[in-house]
Amino acid sequence: MVRPFRGVSADQRRAQRRDALVEAGLTVIADNGMAGTTIEAVCAAAGLSKRYFYEHFRSRDELFATLAEQLIEQILAGSVASMRAHADLDQRFRAALSWVVTFLTEDPRRAR
């Protein structure tokens, strides 16, 4: 059994490291593009070693896929929620589109 470290369980630390790598990946991709994104740069931005990267992802492509899946899930959930507030089809479409544009422009890294 793994003991907590500073009151944080091993599973929580693992989840925190994964979240840090995903956030760092989003930043590095936004700054360098996908072709210029390296595992080393993601780890440096997250403040973690490559060991932790490989604990969560087999390759940078797997990180890219994870980022894409998360963004798609967020866009779908937000646009569907925004449409529920309207009955008219035109209003629903406008609300969803407005939500997507806002989501992407609030954090420009998402659009990149």
Side-chain angles (χ1 to χ4, degrees):
M1 177 170 183
V2 179
R3 295 185 330 205
F5 179 75
R6 295 186 182 177
V8 181
S9 74
D11 288 340
Q12 290 171 320
R13 289 192 311 274
R14 202 171 298 115
Q16 289 170 345
R17 288 191 297 263
R18 186 177 193 286
D19 291 345
L21 288 164
V22 169
E23 275 297 308
L26 192 59
T27 299
V28 173
I29 291 168
D31 292 344
N32 304 318
M34 289 177 69
T37 296
T38 64
I39 292 170
E40 292 80 8
V42 171
C43 291
L48 297 169
S49 71
K50 286 169 57 172
R51 169 188 178 249
Y52 294 118
F53 181 91
Y54 288 109
E55 183 179 281
H56 298 285
F57 307 103
R58 288 178 286 190
S59 66
R60 71 186 191 128
D61 290 337
E62 191 172 311
L63 172 64
F64 295 161
T66 298
L67 282 165
E69 288 171 11
Q70 282 187 359
L71 289 171
I72 290 167
E73 286 174 11
Q74 291 171 325
I75 288 170
L76 285 173
S79 59
V80 167
S82 68
M83 289 189 317
R84 287 192 176 128
H86 304 283
D88 180 63
L89 182 60
D90 184 53
Q91 290 175 336
R92 292 177 75 164
F93 176 76
R94 288 178 188 273
L97 186 58
S98 176
W99 190 91
V100 170
V101 169
T102 300
F103 175 77
L104 293 175
T105 56
E106 281 179 342
D107 185 347
R109 300 175 309 161
R110 296 173 182 156
R112 299 255 354 215

